[in-house]
């Protein structure tokens, strides 16, 4: 057998160049539609036409890429556009799914498809609009129904325009723009490659496992990254609050004259500078959105002595000179405060709320810290910032995650799933019945022409070489077996001829009975008799072994074997032993050739061809189906040949007479079904009998 040559082809660049080019066209359609809508001040978007066309033609990755790319480009002018990317991506995914599942073949399918797209953009878009406060006024001013009708009209126009474009492009041309990364010859149906082996023992296909693993791992990584991002964002926001608090506290400290603090405490409002400073601090509090509370304390060992405390909201200010006990959250900073040192802003959560407190020391002209100006900044807005940041983070992540997931699934499909499933499918269809089937196995396997350039390709090449080698070995071995079988068959016929030549009265008995056996078994198979037993191996073994049925006569003396007249009772008893002797001879042959399965039937033929259906035969008196089927078949052939052959003690019976005897013996001497098959093949039997008679 000649070794199949495999072309080492490189990846066809058209597989990804054409999808990229058409994706750019789709991107242009989206941007052009959006610009047109804005130019004419239309209440529509028209930014999904290209997404629909490319998703339909190119598949998941090009469709998602165009959708995401469109929103990224639009966010140059409108930063909120990026948050609407998941809607565009879901439109691409739904388009590909419905097209590939055969749900976009009719106009009614496109109508249903349009409503699905409007629901996606309407529901998710409304949630995003309200949460991001982008265009929420339109939603609230016009109502949900009007908002949805606008989305429905937008998607209906977009789908109609995209459908017209797709209608004008011939199906064969559209197919060329599908993104594929074939690393083998795609001669097997793509759906079959995706499904993989249909073995029911497998609960999940390799593709499902990879997709689940990639999905779960990417979500897990995204969750970890999101937690880290949220933590970093929170730390950043706290840092920002600290910077603002420190700056505001410093500004408040600048309003306080350190040399007059004692006068402030002694004279209060009677001291003109005190009133001016308090007014300045009050203006600062009123003009600042960040400050919750503003006050000036002189820190002493017994507590915080109020210098200034301004009214804020529902909290009444403390009076000048009041002593406020140290809050528990400040206890660790008291020593530094008593020493007049600067301290880091402190975050506390008590009855006044979640606050960040920044202290700025107030110095006198000698550089001594005489008090502290403090501002409290509410941290409650931090949760709002975090929630808003998290929502925006998720919307951006979903878009990129779906694109990365689609790319990962595409690569795993063409680099791993399709190659393995192609090899598996071809292997499942391997046949070994004949030389053509075996060569076809190798030819089909070589057609895959896997070229992943990794361990999988190496495994494929090794498997292909092993298949080719096994095919060659199988053919060589089969050729040797045929020679051995031919030699064995020749030896069997020689041995049968030796026995027959000793029996001068039987003529061509061995060859004739072998021919009758072949006719009978083939007729039985046609009639459906004993179909569980009558398989190809049984038929071949029985036909091949038929010439050995009288091998036991080699042990019978010539005086009895070639006696010209009828045998006496004693002589007949000796003659009957040829069945037992034949069985023994074959058994000894089986011991020397244990793998020669046909000898099993030869033993049955030799030992049981004189048994009778009613149990009156010899040597063991077996009855009915206790007698091996091959022995029951030979019994009919043996008796018929004896009837129509000339013997020293009788003339040959006419064929009709012989057939009548067989018919009468059915159910007594012969198996009824075997006899029936023999009689129904009587025309072929007569041809053989006439041939040898001549």
């Amino acid at each position: 057998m000649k070794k199949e040559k495999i072309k080492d082809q490189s990846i066809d660049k058209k597989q990804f160049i054409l999808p990229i080019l058409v994706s750019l066209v789709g991107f242009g359609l989206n941007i052009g539609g959006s610009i047109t809508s804005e130019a004419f001040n239309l209440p529509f978007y028209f930014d999904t036409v290209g997404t629909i066309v490319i998703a339909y033609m190119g598949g998941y990755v090009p469709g998602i890429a165009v959708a995401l790319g469109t929103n990224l480009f639009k966010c140059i002018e409108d930063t909120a556009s990026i948050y609407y990317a998941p809607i565009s991506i879901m439109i691409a995914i739904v388009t590909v799914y419905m097209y590939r599942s055969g749900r976009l073949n009719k106009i009614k399918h496109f109508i249903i498809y349009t409503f699905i797209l409007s629901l996606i953009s309407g529901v998710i878009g409304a949630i995003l609009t309200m949460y991001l406060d982008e265009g929420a006024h339109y939603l609230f001013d016009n109502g949900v129904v009007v908002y949805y009708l606008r989305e429905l009209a937008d998607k209906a126009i977009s789908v109609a325009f995209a459908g017209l474009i797709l209608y004008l492009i011939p199906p064969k041309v559209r197919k060329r723009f599908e993104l594929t990364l074939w690393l083998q010859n795609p001669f097997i149906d793509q759906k079959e490659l995706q499904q993989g082996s249909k073995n029911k023992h497998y609960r999940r296909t390799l593709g499902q496992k990879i997709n689940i693993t990639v999905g779960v791992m990417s979500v897990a990584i995204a969750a970890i990254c999101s937690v880290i991002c949220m933590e970093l964002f929170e730390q950043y926001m706290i840092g920002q609050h600290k910077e603002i608090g420190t700056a505001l506290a410093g500004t408040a400290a600048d309003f306080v004259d350190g040399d007059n603090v004692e006068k402030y405490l002694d004279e209060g409002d009677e001291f003109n500078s005190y009133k001016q400073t308090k007014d300045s601090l009050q203006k600062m509090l009123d003009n600042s959105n960040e400050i919750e509370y503003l006050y000036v304390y002189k820190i002493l060992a017994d507590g915080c002595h109020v210098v200034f405390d301004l009214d804020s909201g529902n909290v009444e200010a403390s009076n000048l000179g009041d002593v406020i006990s140290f809050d528990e959250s400040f206890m660790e900073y008291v020593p530094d405060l008593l020493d007049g040192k600067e301290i880091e802003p402190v975050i506390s959560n008590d009855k006044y709320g979640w606050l960040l407190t920044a202290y700025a020391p107030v110095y006198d002209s000698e550089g001594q810290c005489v008090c502290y100006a403090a501002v409290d900044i509410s941290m409650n807005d931090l949760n709002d910032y975090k929630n808003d940041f998290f929502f925006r983070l998720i919307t951006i992540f979903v878009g990129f995650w779906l694109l990365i997931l689609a790319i990962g699934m595409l690569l795993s499909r063409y680099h791993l799933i399709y190659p393995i499933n192609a090899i598996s499918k071809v292997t499942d269809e391997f046949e070994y019945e004949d030389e053509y089937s075996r060569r076809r196995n190798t030819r089909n396997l070589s057609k895959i022409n896997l070229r992943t350039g990794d361990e999988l390709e190496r495994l494929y090449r090794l498997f292909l070489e092993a298949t080719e080698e096994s095919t060659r070995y199988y053919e060589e071995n089969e050729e040797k077996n045929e020679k051995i079988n031919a030699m064995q068959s020749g030896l069997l016929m020689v041995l049968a001829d030796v026995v027959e030549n000793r029996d001068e009265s039987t003529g061509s008995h061995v060859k004739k009975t072998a021919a009758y056996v072949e006719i009978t078994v083939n007729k039985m198979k046609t009639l459906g008799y004993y179909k569980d037993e009558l398989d190809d191996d049984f038929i071949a073994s029985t036909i091949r072994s038929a010439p050995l049925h009288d091998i036991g006569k080699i042990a019978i003396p010539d005086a009895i074997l070639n006696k010209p007249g009828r045998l006496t009772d004693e002589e007949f008893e000796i003659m009957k032993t040829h069945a037992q002797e034949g069985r023994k001879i074959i058994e000894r042959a089986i011991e020397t050739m244990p793998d020669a399965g046909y000898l099993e039937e030869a033993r049955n033929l030799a030992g049981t061809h004189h048994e009778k259906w009613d149990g009156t035969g010899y040597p063991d008196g077996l009855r009915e189906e206790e007698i091996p089927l091959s022995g029951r078949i030979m019994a009919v052939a043996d008796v018929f040949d004896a009837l129509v052959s000339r013997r020293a003690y009788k003339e040959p019976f006419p064929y009709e007479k012989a057939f009548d005897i067989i018919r009468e013996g059915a159910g007594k001497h012969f198996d009824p079904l075997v006899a029936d098959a023999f009689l129904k093949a009587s025309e072929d039997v007569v041809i053989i009998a006439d041939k040898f008679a001549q």
Side-chain angles (χ1 to χ4, degrees), residues 22-23 25-31 46-56 62-63 66-67 70 158 161-162 165:
V22 78
S23 295
V25 174
F27 175 77
L29 285 174
N30 284 347
I31 300 302
F46 298 155
D47 59 353
T48 56
V49 175
T51 300
I52 295 171
V53 172
I54 301 310
Y56 194 97
V66 169
T70 300
S158 298
F161 189 56
I165 294 174

Side-chain angles (χ1 to χ4, degrees), residues 218-239:
S218 58
V219 169
I221 293 172
I224 295 171
C225 292
S226 298
V227 171
I228 295 173
C229 288
M230 291 299 296
E231 183 65 25
L232 293 175
F233 177 76
E234 182 176 2
Q235 294 301 320
Y236 171 78
M237 291 303 297
I238 291 174

Side-chain angles (χ1 to χ4, degrees), residues 530 533 608-618 621-629 631-633 635-636 665-675:
Y530 297 112
E533 296 182 61
T608 63
H609 67 282
H610 284 295
E611 300 285 358
K612 295 183 179 180
W613 185 256
D614 59 7
T616 60
Y618 65 87
L622 303 178
R623 58 183 298 111
E624 298 184 359
E625 294 189 7
E626 293 177 350
I627 309 168
L629 181 58
R632 283 144 42 202
I633 295 171
V636 176
K668 299 176 184 177
H669 188 158
F670 311 115
D671 181 333
L673 294 180
V674 175

Side-chain angles (χ1 to χ4, degrees), residues 492 495 499 502 548-556 577-593 599 602-603 606-607:
L492 291 177
L495 183 60
V499 175
R502 288 190 64 239
L548 296 178
H549 74 282
D550 274 339
I551 189 68
K553 287 185 177 180
I554 200 168
I556 304 301
T577 61
H578 81 277
Q580 292 174 316
E581 294 296 331
R583 180 159 53 198
K584 292 178 182 178
I585 292 171
I586 301 299
E587 285 176 348
R588 287 196 295 271
I590 291 175
E591 291 176 0
T592 60
M593 292 188 297
L599 290 179
R603 177 177 57 188

Side-chain angles (χ1 to χ4, degrees), residues 253-550:
D254 291 338
F255 287 120
V256 180
D257 186 351
D259 292 331
N260 293 325
V261 170
E262 291 300 328
K263 290 183 179 181
Y264 293 159
L265 290 170
D266 291 339
E267 301 178 18
D269 287 336
E270 295 179 0
F271 184 49
N272 190 48
S273 177
Y274 180 84
K275 190 175 184 305
Q276 292 176 351
T277 302
K278 187 174 183 179
D279 290 341
S280 298
L281 293 173
Q282 186 66 53
K283 288 180 181 179
M284 179 180 175
L285 176 62
D286 294 339
N287 294 327
S288 176
N289 295 324
E290 289 85 4
I291 301 175
E292 191 80 15
Y293 306 108
L294 193 154
Y295 45 91
V296 178
Y297 289 163
K298 183 175 182 179
I299 309 299
L300 298 175
D302 59 345
C304 301
H305 293 249
V306 176
V307 180
F308 294 98
D309 193 6
L310 306 178
D311 292 331
S312 179
N314 298 324
V315 179
E316 187 177 349
S318 300
N319 296 319
L320 176 66
D322 286 350
V323 179
I324 300 174
S325 300
F326 294 115
D327 188 87
E328 185 178 350
S329 59
F330 287 84
M331 292 304 294
E332 63 177 298
Y333 303 103
V334 170
D336 290 335
L337 292 171
L338 291 173
D339 292 340
K341 297 179 180 179
E342 293 186 6
I343 65 171
E344 286 291 320
V346 180
I347 297 175
S348 61
N349 195 351
D350 52 24
K351 62 181 180 179
Y352 297 109
W354 188 20
L355 301 173
L356 181 143
T357 304
Y359 280 79
V362 178
Y363 299 100
D364 60 15
S365 57
E366 296 180 358
Q368 297 294 319
C369 177
V370 294
C371 65
Y372 285 89
V375 293
D376 288 338
I377 298 177
S378 176
M379 300 287 287
N380 292 325
D381 59 346
L382 183 58
N383 281 329
D384 296 333
Y385 291 144
K386 285 174 61 178
N387 292 337
D388 183 66
F389 175 76
F390 180 73
F391 184 80
R392 294 170 187 266
L393 178 68
I394 290 299
T395 54
I396 295 174
F397 158 73
V398 167
F400 284 96
W401 174 73
L402 289 173
L403 177 61
I404 293 171
L405 183 63
I407 293 173
M409 292 170 62
L410 180 73
L411 293 176
S412 68
R413 187 181 304 130
Y414 286 98
H415 282 257
L416 189 63
I417 298 170
Y418 283 178
I420 291 177
N421 287 345
I423 296 172
S424 175
K425 179 171 176 54
V426 170
T427 305
D428 285 343
E429 296 175 350
F430 272 11
E431 296 178 353
Y432 302 91
E433 285 77 10
D434 50 42
E435 181 180 350
Y436 174 77
S437 298
R438 292 189 293 273
R439 293 196 177 195
R440 184 177 57 199
N441 295 342
T442 304
R443 188 163 55 251
N444 288 343
L445 189 60
S446 65
K447 280 182 181 179
I448 297 176
N449 193 18
L450 190 63
R451 45 190 184 276
T452 56
D454 52 21
E455 293 86 351
L456 186 59
E457 180 181 351
R458 183 171 182 272
L459 180 63
Y460 162 72
R461 301 295 181 190
L462 291 174
F463 181 55
L464 178 59
E465 290 177 6
T467 304
E468 292 173 341
E469 187 65 29
S470 64
T471 300
R472 286 194 296 272
Y473 175 78
Y474 197 105
E475 291 176 359
E476 292 173 0
N477 192 51
E478 189 175 62
E479 185 178 349
K480 292 178 181 178
N481 287 336
E482 289 176 356
K483 291 180 179 179
I484 293 172
N485 290 336
M487 182 178 65
Q488 289 178 343
S489 298
L491 291 174
L492 291 177
M493 291 306 300
V494 170
L495 183 60
D497 285 341
V498 168
V499 175
E500 190 169 80
N501 289 335
R502 288 190 64 239
D503 189 351
E504 299 172 355
S505 63
T506 57
S508 300
H509 175 68
V510 169
K511 296 178 181 178
K512 287 187 290 182
T513 52
Y516 297 151
V517 166
E518 183 174 0
I519 292 171
T520 305
V521 293
N522 288 330
K523 191 65 175 180
M524 290 172 66
K525 184 176 182 179
T526 302
L527 296 172
Y529 295 161
Y530 297 112
K531 57 184 178 181
D532 292 337
E533 296 182 61
L534 216 62
D535 55 22
D536 293 340
D537 289 340
F538 173 84
I539 292 173
S541 297
T542 300
I543 294 172
R544 188 177 182 187
S545 304
L548 296 178
H549 74 282
D550 274 339

Side-chain angles (χ1 to χ4, degrees), residues 80-312:
S81 295
I82 187 61
Y83 303 121
Y84 292 87
I87 297 177
S88 301
I89 291 173
M90 289 185 68
I91 290 174
I93 292 173
V94 170
T95 302
V96 178
Y97 174 77
M98 293 189 68
Y99 166 64
R100 290 187 175 177
S101 60
R103 293 181 173 89
L104 287 179
N105 296 329
K106 299 179 181 178
I107 295 178
K108 66 177 183 179
H109 294 159
F110 274 92
I111 295 174
I112 297 172
Y113 167 66
T114 302
F115 276 101
I116 293 174
L117 296 191
S118 66
L119 285 173
I120 292 173
S121 60
V123 175
I124 301 177
I127 295 173
L128 288 170
T129 298
M130 290 186 293
Y131 203 93
L132 298 172
D133 198 28
E134 299 288 345
H137 61 87
Y138 182 92
L139 178 61
F140 292 120
D141 293 345
N142 296 277
V144 176
V145 175
V146 175
Y147 179 84
Y148 173 71
L149 290 176
R150 184 183 74 164
E151 294 292 336
L152 179 60
D154 174 68
K155 295 303 174 286
I157 296 172
S158 298
V159 169
F161 189 56
L164 177 62
I165 294 174
L166 293 170
Y167 176 77
L168 296 175
I169 302 175
K172 290 183 178 180
V173 177
R174 291 201 303 260
K175 194 69 177 175
R176 295 177 185 173
F177 294 99
E178 181 181 358
L179 178 60
T180 57
L181 298 174
W182 287 111
L183 298 173
Q184 64 188 67
N185 292 336
F187 68 98
I188 298 177
D189 184 66
Q190 190 167 336
K191 290 183 178 179
E192 293 186 19
L193 288 180
Q194 182 66 37
Q195 292 172 354
S197 176
K198 296 182 179 179
N199 194 321
K200 295 181 179 179
H201 295 294
Y202 304 145
R203 291 183 295 177
R204 294 190 186 278
T205 64
L206 179 62
Q208 291 172 335
K209 291 179 180 179
I210 291 176
N211 293 342
I212 291 172
T213 302
V214 171
V216 171
M217 291 299 293
S218 58
V219 169
I221 293 172
I224 295 171
C225 292
S226 298
V227 171
I228 295 173
C229 288
M230 291 299 296
E231 183 65 25
L232 293 175
F233 177 76
E234 182 176 2
Q235 294 301 320
Y236 171 78
M237 291 303 297
I238 291 174
Q240 290 292 100
H241 279 66
K242 286 182 178 181
E243 290 181 8
I244 294 172
T246 301
L248 291 173
T251 302
D254 291 338
F255 287 120
V256 180
D257 186 351
D259 292 331
N260 293 325
V261 170
E262 291 300 328
K263 290 183 179 181
Y264 293 159
L265 290 170
D266 291 339
E267 301 178 18
D269 287 336
E270 295 179 0
F271 184 49
N272 190 48
S273 177
Y274 180 84
K275 190 175 184 305
Q276 292 176 351
T277 302
K278 187 174 183 179
D279 290 341
S280 298
L281 293 173
Q282 186 66 53
K283 288 180 181 179
M284 179 180 175
L285 176 62
D286 294 339
N287 294 327
S288 176
N289 295 324
E290 289 85 4
I291 301 175
E292 191 80 15
Y293 306 108
L294 193 154
Y295 45 91
V296 178
Y297 289 163
K298 183 175 182 179
I299 309 299
L300 298 175
D302 59 345
C304 301
H305 293 249
V306 176
V307 180
F308 294 98
D309 193 6
L310 306 178
D311 292 331
S312 179

